[in-house]
Amino acid sequence: MEKRIMELISDNKVVEIRNELLEMNIVDIAQVLEEVDKHQLVRLFRILPKDIAAGVFSYVPVELQQHIIESITDSETKSIVDELFLDDAVDFIDEMPANIVKKVLKNTDENMRTIINQLLNYPEDSAGSIMTIEYVDLKKEMTVRDAIAHIKKTGVDKETINTCYVIDKNRKLEGVVSIRRLILSSEEKLISDIMNEDFIFIYTTADQEQVAMLFKKYDLLTMPVVDAECRLVGIITVDDIVDIIEQENTEDIQKMAALQPSEEEYLKTGVFTLAKHRVVWLLVLMLSATFTGHIIKRFGDVLQSVVLLAAFIPMLMDTGGNAGSQSSTLIIRGLALGEVSMKDASKVLWKEFRVSIIVGLALAIVNFLRIFYLEKVDFLITFTVCFTLFCTVVIAKLVGGILPIGAKYLKLDPAIMASPLITTIVDALALMIYFTMAAWLIGL
Amino acid sequence: MEKRIMELISDNKVVEIRNELLEMNIVDIAQVLEEVDKHQLVRLFRILPKDIAAGVFSYVPVELQQHIIESITDSETKSIVDELFLDDAVDFIDEMPANIVKKVLKNTDENMRTIINQLLNYPEDSAGSIMTIEYVDLKKEMTVRDAIAHIKKTGVDKETINTCYVIDKNRKLEGVVSIRRLILSSEEKLISDIMNEDFIFIYTTADQEQVAMLFKKYDLLTMPVVDAECRLVGIITVDDIVDIIEQENTEDIQKMAALQPSEEEYLKTGVFTLAKHRVVWLLVLMLSATFTGHIIKRFGDVLQSVVLLAAFIPMLMDTGGNAGSQSSTLIIRGLALGEVSMKDASKVLWKEFRVSIIVGLALAIVNFLRIFYLEKVDFLITFTVCFTLFCTVVIAKLVGGILPIGAKYLKLDPAIMASPLITTIVDALALMIYFTMAAWLIGL
């Protein structure tokens, strides 16, 4: 399909291109536009009917949106912006430079301009900033017949009519009623009789992460957003929540790898930006690793007399780091999904302690067999290595289990207590045990 | 709310409890049931009306579901299972031991039993295994009026009526029509005139990850599932997709931390299971780290003459590991979200190369200042450390960038190419450079 349309484009067959595009899903059209050159892009965009053009526009990357708006006339801009869903319009305006914003706002009517400005004012990542104000509102005195007539009259512009919202004369939210309920009820019934008054709602100021939590917990498709006086001001739909969940996951994963989180796609991010997001944490961790270096330096004479001890440093460090990050990862994820909470700290410690005993013993035994029998290393050294390994695993798992909970307690993001930081801490502890024990055994 | 109901429960006020529960969302009722003891649990469950009881049942954890079924009569079991949505019923049966499955299947009518058995036969994590067969089907010869009458007659049992599916006499899927479109169209219109024939669908055998990808890409609320002959067999709804997305993310995060992925919640997983999920990868990585140990052993004489060299091993290893896992994490996530693909390999390498030069230089310079000026270490050793650091960062970032893509190419999961494996590889390379260079400089 995509190949064929590319051929038509290079052959410049305008009518065929248009017919082909109209057969396609708007998401796929947007993908075609991404792949042609910028000149073709604007030409293709112009041959689309304006309702489809608006849909396609909301799926095109920011830089192409900017290019399109720069290339088209004021009246074309107006017709696109008029057709956009308001939340898509706000998302797009939020990303644009000032001159584009000016061009767009100039070409919207005053009413819409006021609303857009209002929506732009909600704090980033708040419920207010991700909601749309296009929803169906009903009154509880309406009959089902009235309600359906009202939907028929006003529903075309609404993002979803699957759930309708019942408000009083002050716009205070009184109930919700699904389209399913409306259709399945007899036409004479009153909305007040069929509406659900025990609904889940959220305030405009709530964080989007909290919104996503509620969507997941209650399996919602839409959620009403109210202001401090419980007046309905907008709704959030599940398709935006899916994006937010992925975005929050990406952020967590990046933090866990000692990266400054970024919403930009990798391939579209500049080299300097990428470097900037990485270098700070690397510096911090590099400088803290020098602490571990000092431990080794302090035990220089021990190492001098048994240089073989150095050969086991990588194994001890890596295993400690891995053992710790396994635990911290499970706890960080459990906290993020709400499966583990701060009050579980002692349960986590007790569980990690028992797990670490099993895992530590298994690793130490395998290691003993390998070093003592296969590599024929001296018993005392073998014992030192294996004992340190066991202690390291136990400490690593306890540290890995408790630090994320501690971070949460200190209102830090638990995700920063992942592999890199745990590794640095566990390394230092492991080497301290290792050399102390070696010094003691050699001194005997 | 929850506190109050707990008080009522301990005071044994049955009527008040029931009224209080009926005011609550089924998800919250399920949470209350989780918190009372097992005896109370069954009592509370029994005072719920059966439609609500079924809803609550689907939100209760597996072990409590089992306890409930074991405690209630056959006829109660039947009334619960009858009210369950089919996909929830199948999910629940899938988790139960044989005696419970028998009790449940005995108490379902033959028709439903056949369907449940069919659904249980789809491979795990396939589209067929997560779909429900409760959907509204229409014929294209129907008018909008006929269609709405049909929905009114049959819609009560359907999981969602927001999208209806148009099938021919062989059940071949011909189009979809949203309830919104139905309501907004005039009653005389034919379904064939308003249905959308360019719809997204999936085969029963497709993997759930692919299903989730399509939901995200096209912002879908429901998706039809067809068999090899394109006959409609079920639908998937977005609320299940949200759970799958979280589950896939959890799996990726666990793999990235060298854990065998598991769907069980941390606090509910036994100590031995946890240990089993961790020990295999730890063993593999521990044994590969001994390779790094051999490098150090080989350069024993170099180390013997300049024991100070050992003090920088932790810093070099940690920084290399962190630098590599930053890159691999970005690429693994990019691959998972479809933002990076195999054909981008050279772009990734070129980008990582430039980023690594910047980051490597920055780290090397800071390190030089610290070691040479602050710690007053000999110039040759300082130079060796900083040069190795620079090379390590460059290599780490190239390895971290390319290995996940290589894994994808070999049809392995890119997530295994995360921090732990990268660290092990980069450690060996870093120490090789470090000692080779040190040996050469000292030999001069």
Side-chain angles (χ1 to χ4, degrees), chain B residues 54-205:
Chain B
V56 169
F57 186 81
S58 65
Y59 278 100
V60 151
V62 177
E63 59 277 15
L64 297 188
Q65 286 182 334
Q66 182 174 347
H67 177 72
I68 290 173
I69 296 291
E70 280 167 347
S71 314
I72 61 180
T73 65
D74 278 13
S75 76
E76 282 172 318
T77 305
K78 179 165 170 45
S79 74
I80 296 299
V81 177
D82 280 352
E83 288 284 332
L84 277 179
F85 284 122
L86 257 173
D87 57 341
D88 291 333
V90 171
D91 281 353
F92 140 69
I93 291 171
D94 215 10
E95 301 279 347
M96 290 294 122
N99 62 322
I100 300 286
V101 174
K102 222 161 132 189
K103 180 169 180 184
V104 170
L105 289 183
K106 195 179 73 188
N107 291 300
T108 51
D109 57 50
E110 211 193 303
N111 189 11
M112 190 164 171
R113 198 152 56 231
T114 318
I115 295 168
I116 288 177
N117 277 321
Q118 230 168 343
L119 289 176
L120 284 172
N121 271 332
Y122 287 107
E124 208 189 341
D125 296 344
S126 68
S129 76
I130 54 171
M131 72 187 184
T132 181
I133 57 154
E134 289 148 321
Y135 51 84
V136 176
D137 48 16
L138 304 175
K139 298 271 182 283
K140 67 178 171 188
E141 305 78 29
M142 288 176 166
T143 62
V144 168
R145 186 184 295 110
D146 299 337
I148 291 181
H150 178 73
I151 294 171
K152 283 199 181 204
K153 216 174 61 196
T154 60
V156 186
D157 286 338
K158 307 306 179 186
E159 185 156 350
T160 174
I161 63 164
N162 297 344
T163 309
C164 304
Y165 299 89
V166 186
I167 53 176
D168 71 6
K169 60 182 189 306
N170 297 319
R171 303 200 61 76
K172 213 171 147 294
L173 183 59
E174 297 184 305
V176 300
V177 55
S178 67
I179 193 81
R180 171 205 184 115
R181 192 77 190 265
L182 274 179
I183 291 200
L184 299 181
S185 298
S186 82
E187 296 201 320
E188 284 71 34
K189 275 231 168 142
L190 284 175
I191 294 299
S192 55
D193 292 333
I194 61 167
M195 74 184 187
N196 177 7
E197 289 168 84
D198 169 40
F199 49 83
I200 312 292
F201 65 94
I202 194 109
Y203 292 103
T204 48
T205 48

Side-chain angles (χ1 to χ4, degrees), chain A residues 23-25 27-28 31 59 151-152 155-156 158-159 161-162 179-180 183-185 198 200 216-219 221 238-239 242 245-246 249-250 253-254 256-259 265-267 269 271-272 274-275 278 282-283 285-287 289-290 292-294 296-297 300 303-304 307-308 310-311 314-315 317-319 322-323 326-327 329-331 333 337 339 344 348 351-352 354-355 358-359 362-363 366-367 370 375 389 397 419-420 423 427, chain B residues 23-25 27-28 31 59 151-152 155-156 158-159 161-162 179-180 183-185 198 200 216-219 221 238-239 242 245-246 249-250 253-254 256-259 265-267 269 271-272 274-275 278-279 282-283 285-287 289-290 292-294 296-297 303-304 307-308 310-311 314-315 317-319 322-323 326-327 329-331 333 337 339 344 348 351-352 354-355 358-359 362-363 366-367 370 375 389 397 419-420 423 427:
Chain A
E23 292 278 300
M24 291 166 66
N25 185 297
V27 181
D28 296 320
Q31 215 162 350
Y59 278 100
I151 293 171
K152 284 200 180 200
V156 187
K158 307 304 179 187
E159 185 155 349
I161 63 164
N162 296 345
I179 193 79
R180 171 206 183 117
I183 291 199
L184 300 180
S185 297
D198 170 40
I200 312 291
K216 282 186 277 182
K217 180 170 177 191
Y218 294 101
D219 286 344
L221 294 178
V238 69
D239 53 318
V242 168
I245 290 175
E246 284 295 29
N249 277 315
T250 301
I253 291 174
Q254 289 177 342
M256 289 170 76
L259 288 155
E265 284 189 27
Y266 172 79
L267 289 174
T269 314
V271 169
F272 278 97
L274 282 174
R278 300 178 186 188
L282 284 181
L283 269 175
L285 293 166
M286 183 182 83
L287 293 177
T290 62
T292 319
H294 283 297
I296 296 186
K297 232 194 246 172
L303 200 54
Q304 183 86 54
V307 108
L308 183 62
M315 189 269 288
M317 281 176 56
D318 282 349
T319 307
N322 292 333
Q326 285 182 333
S327 308
T329 298
L330 283 178
I331 304 304
R333 188 67 184 159
L337 295 179
E339 296 170 355
D344 299 316
V348 168
K351 196 157 221 165
E352 284 305 311
R354 286 174 297 160
V355 172
I358 302 173
V359 173
L363 294 183
V366 171
N367 214 34
R370 190 183 64 77
E375 301 204 4
L389 182 66
K397 293 222 167 281
S419 177
T423 301
D427 282 354
Chain B
E23 292 278 300
M24 291 167 67
N25 185 297
V27 181
D28 295 320
Q31 216 163 349
Y59 278 100
I151 294 171
K152 283 199 181 204
V156 186
K158 307 306 179 186
E159 185 156 350
I161 63 164
N162 297 344
I179 193 81
R180 171 205 184 115
I183 291 200
L184 299 181
S185 298
D198 169 40
I200 312 292
K216 283 187 275 181
K217 180 169 177 192
Y218 295 102
D219 285 345
L221 293 178
V238 69
D239 53 319
V242 168
I245 290 176
E246 284 295 29
N249 277 315
T250 302
I253 290 174
Q254 289 177 342
M256 289 170 75
L259 288 155
E265 283 189 27
Y266 172 80
L267 289 173
T269 314
V271 169
F272 279 96
L274 282 175
R278 301 181 186 186
V279 82
L282 283 181
L283 269 174
L285 293 166
M286 182 182 84
L287 293 177
T290 61
T292 318
H294 283 296
I296 297 186
K297 231 194 246 171
L303 200 54
Q304 183 88 54
V307 110
L308 183 61
M315 188 270 289
M317 281 175 58
D318 282 350
T319 307
N322 291 333
Q326 285 182 333
S327 307
T329 298
L330 284 178
I331 305 303
R333 188 66 184 158
L337 296 179
E339 295 170 355
D344 298 317
V348 168
K351 196 156 222 164
E352 284 304 312
R354 287 173 297 161
V355 173
I358 301 174
V359 172
L363 294 183
V366 171
N367 214 33
R370 191 183 64 78
E375 303 204 2
L389 182 65
K397 292 222 168 279
S419 177
T423 300
D427 281 354

